[in-house]
């Protein structure tokens, strides 16, 4: 994990370099994905469940990064799930309950666009969870992730970090783009006003939920190109490392 | 969870109050491995306000083991480096025995509970 303060937000890639590295990475991920699904392995063994989780400020590029991550994969081989505010019915349950069905099984892969970390981010800052609830959630989440990892799951967690200025620029661009206007709501503008509180919550999240079974990967996302390449290359490295650690031959 | 009934009693409830400008953190319940996280975090949240003194009230602690002691000692060490005082309000015999058995009772300063 890297801390927010140590990030070099000026990291970027040229269009050509992005295209070249994305192409190579997408091909490699497809190869690994088919292997983990047991489709190209001689022994037909299923690989570990792969769960890639995304958190990030509004307009930090989660959607774009996910799109590139799954671009080369067959839709039958990956499931992308988005999580917004819990519904009335979901709020009747334990906060982790609604994520269960989205989790992958052996040989499977899931991508979560926001996740259980909402408890210690938006729910903390907006007061939807009490201080009692969110302050113990760090321990609860680490415990939850540990049980998943000990059952074999490979959990790759991303925080996509954008600067205040870059976010404002993207909001303004979204406002003008008829195909992206729908992405911007009054709530997004309101959240911007609480940037300081959100940053404190992000720092706590990175500190208290970074553990050996599921480390955080902080991505400098002021450049969309850089972020997209870093995300997919990190997933590949984590899959290769995870397979080797589980005694599986890495193709 | 949002239900009609009251939430279940947590193992450890942490109550933050202020008396004459001094932040107090009252611990109600058990301090062990399962409740150490919230305790540590709540202490850190108060630290970020950079008060000159923090008081931890142990009167209503029903159980505390070495985890709780470790958090208090670590906090005291951090505090002394930045000139902050950590004061305790004495707990039950079980809690005070822990300090005595580990020879750490002199590491802390004690205050009377506010009226």
């Amino acid at each position: 994990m890297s801390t927010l303060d140590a990030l070099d937000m000026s990291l970027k890639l040229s269009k050509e370099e992005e295209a070249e590295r994305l192409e190579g990475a997408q091909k490699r991920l497809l190869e690994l994905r088919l292997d983990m699904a047991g489709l190209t392995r001689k022994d037909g063994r299923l690989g570990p469940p792969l769960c890639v989780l995304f958190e990030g400020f509004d307009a930090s590029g989660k959607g774009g990064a996910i799109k590139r991550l799954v671009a080369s994969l067959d839709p039958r081989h990956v499931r992308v799930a988005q999580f917004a505010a819990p519904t009335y019915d979901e709020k009747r349950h334990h906060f982790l309950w609604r994520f269960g069905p989205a989790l992958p099984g052996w040989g499977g892969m899931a991508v979560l666009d926001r996740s259980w970390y909402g408890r210690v981010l938006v729910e903390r800052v907006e007061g939807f969870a009490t201080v009692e609830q969110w302050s113990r959630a760090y321990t609860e989440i680490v415990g939850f992730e540990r049980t998943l990892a000990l059952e074999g799951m490979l959990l790759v967690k991303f925080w996509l970090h954008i600067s205040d200025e870059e976010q404002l620029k993207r909001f303004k661009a979204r406002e003008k783009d008829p195909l992206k206007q729908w992405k911007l709501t009054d709530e997004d503008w309101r959240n911007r006003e609480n940037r300081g509180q959100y940053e404190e919550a992000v720092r706590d999240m990175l500190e208290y939920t970074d553990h050996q079974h599921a480390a955080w990967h902080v991505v400098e996302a002021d450049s969309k190109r850089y972020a997209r390449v870093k995300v997919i290359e990190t997933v590949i490295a984590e899959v290769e490392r995870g397979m080797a650690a589980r005694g599986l031959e890495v193709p | 969870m949002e239900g009609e009934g009251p939430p279940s009693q947590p193992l450890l409830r942490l109550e933050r109050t202020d008396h004459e400008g001094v932040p107090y953190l009252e611990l109600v319940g058990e301090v062990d491995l399962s409740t150490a996280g919230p305790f540590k975090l709540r202490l850190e949240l108060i630290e970020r306000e950079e008060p000159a003194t923090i008081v931890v009230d142990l009167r209503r602690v029903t159980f505390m083991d070495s985890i709780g002691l470790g958090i208090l000692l670590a906090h005291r060490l951090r505090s002394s480096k930045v000139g902050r005082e950590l004061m305790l309000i004495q707990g039950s015999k079980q809690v005070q025995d822990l300090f005595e058995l580990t020879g750490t009772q002199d590491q802390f300063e004690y205050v009377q509970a506010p009226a």
Side-chain angles (χ1 to χ4, degrees), chain B residues 15-34:
Chain B
E15 289 179 9
R16 156 76 194 268
T17 49
D18 286 86
H19 297 284
E20 292 168 6
V22 177
Y24 280 63
L25 187 65
E26 185 184 8
L27 278 54
V28 185
E30 302 177 18
V31 187
D32 62 9
L33 187 59
S34 72

Side-chain angles (χ1 to χ4, degrees), chain A residues 91-94 132 134-136 138 200 204 208, chain B residues 1-2 12-14 37-38 41-42 44-45 48:
Chain A
K91 277 196 274 193
R92 294 168 49 239
H93 295 267
H94 187 277
E132 293 283 355
W134 64 255
S135 65
R136 69 179 140 82
Y138 300 93
E200 188 183 15
D204 284 342
Y208 297 122
Chain B
M1 270 187 279
E2 284 186 4
L12 176 66
R13 204 169 71 239
L14 296 140
L41 178 68
R42 293 290 290 277
E44 285 180 20
L45 290 177
R48 286 177 206 169

Side-chain angles (χ1 to χ4, degrees), chain A residues 24-95:
Chain A
Q26 286 168 340
K27 203 172 152 202
R28 175 64 178 148
L29 185 64
L30 171 62
E31 196 178 3
L32 290 167
R33 181 70 203 96
L34 292 174
D35 186 85
M36 288 211 297
L39 298 168
T40 50
R41 289 183 73 86
K42 284 195 190 83
D43 60 9
R45 270 178 74 193
L46 293 177
L50 171 62
C51 185
V52 185
L53 170 164
F54 285 84
E55 292 288 349
F57 288 128
D58 298 322
S60 56
K62 297 185 290 297
I66 292 170
K67 204 165 146 184
R68 272 78 181 176
L69 177 67
V70 303
S72 65
L73 308 180
D74 190 289
R76 284 170 291 191
H77 298 155
V78 62
R79 199 185 297 168
V80 180
Q82 295 85 22
F83 292 95
T87 62
Y88 172 77
D89 188 49
E90 286 167 341
K91 277 196 274 193
R92 294 168 49 239
H93 295 267
H94 187 277
F95 80 97

Side-chain angles (χ1 to χ4, degrees), chain A residues 13-31:
Chain A
L13 288 180
S14 70
K15 205 170 180 176
E16 294 71 33
E17 195 178 352
E18 182 208 17
E20 194 186 321
R21 280 171 68 177
L22 267 186
E23 195 190 332
Q26 286 168 340
K27 203 172 152 202
R28 175 64 178 148
L29 185 64
L30 171 62
E31 196 178 3

Side-chain angles (χ1 to χ4, degrees), chain A residues 39-246:
Chain A
L39 298 168
T40 50
R41 289 183 73 86
K42 284 195 190 83
D43 60 9
R45 270 178 74 193
L46 293 177
L50 171 62
C51 185
V52 185
L53 170 164
F54 285 84
E55 292 288 349
F57 288 128
D58 298 322
S60 56
K62 297 185 290 297
I66 292 170
K67 204 165 146 184
R68 272 78 181 176
L69 177 67
V70 303
S72 65
L73 308 180
D74 190 289
R76 284 170 291 191
H77 298 155
V78 62
R79 199 185 297 168
V80 180
Q82 295 85 22
F83 292 95
T87 62
Y88 172 77
D89 188 49
E90 286 167 341
K91 277 196 274 193
R92 294 168 49 239
H93 295 267
H94 187 277
F95 80 97
L96 291 170
W97 174 82
R98 65 186 177 130
F99 303 101
L103 296 175
W106 282 82
M109 173 177 177
V111 178
L112 310 188
D113 183 351
R114 296 201 192 275
S115 66
W116 41 86
Y117 283 100
R119 185 68 153 193
V120 294
L121 296 172
V122 63
E123 291 187 43
R124 164 179 169 172
V125 175
E126 304 298 336
F128 300 142
T130 65
V131 63
E132 293 283 355
Q133 289 175 313
W134 64 255
S135 65
R136 69 179 140 82
Y138 300 93
T139 317
E140 292 166 343
I141 286 171
V142 170
F144 175 59
E145 291 178 350
R146 188 185 294 128
T147 63
L148 295 175
L150 291 176
E151 284 293 317
M153 187 178 290
L154 251 167
L155 196 52
V156 188
K157 306 191 291 193
F158 288 107
W159 171 257
L160 266 52
H161 195 70
I162 52 166
S163 63
D164 200 29
E165 304 76 48
E166 178 63 23
Q167 189 188 43
L168 184 63
K169 221 166 88 186
R170 291 186 191 179
F171 274 22
K172 287 186 172 162
R174 280 185 176 185
E175 243 178 357
K176 289 189 198 128
D177 185 343
L179 295 178
K180 285 190 175 174
Q181 276 165 2
W182 63 273
K183 284 187 165 190
L184 193 67
T185 63
D186 290 345
E187 201 184 323
D188 294 333
W189 286 108
R190 273 200 304 277
N191 290 347
R192 264 188 66 77
E193 289 167 17
N194 296 330
R195 170 89 183 196
Q197 283 172 275
Y198 273 102
E199 269 196 21
E200 188 183 15
V202 171
R203 283 171 206 275
D204 284 342
M205 173 186 81
L206 295 177
E207 183 178 342
Y208 297 122
T209 62
D210 185 67
H211 55 106
Q212 59 163 329
H213 299 294
W216 275 105
H217 300 275
V218 180
V219 180
E220 304 84 343
D222 268 5
S223 155
K224 289 181 182 178
R225 289 187 202 132
Y226 177 83
R228 289 161 182 173
V229 170
K230 180 166 176 178
V231 162
I232 190 166
E233 289 182 349
T234 303
V235 172
I236 289 167
E238 284 294 302
V239 168
E240 289 172 345
R241 196 184 56 80
M243 287 178 81
R246 286 158 180 77

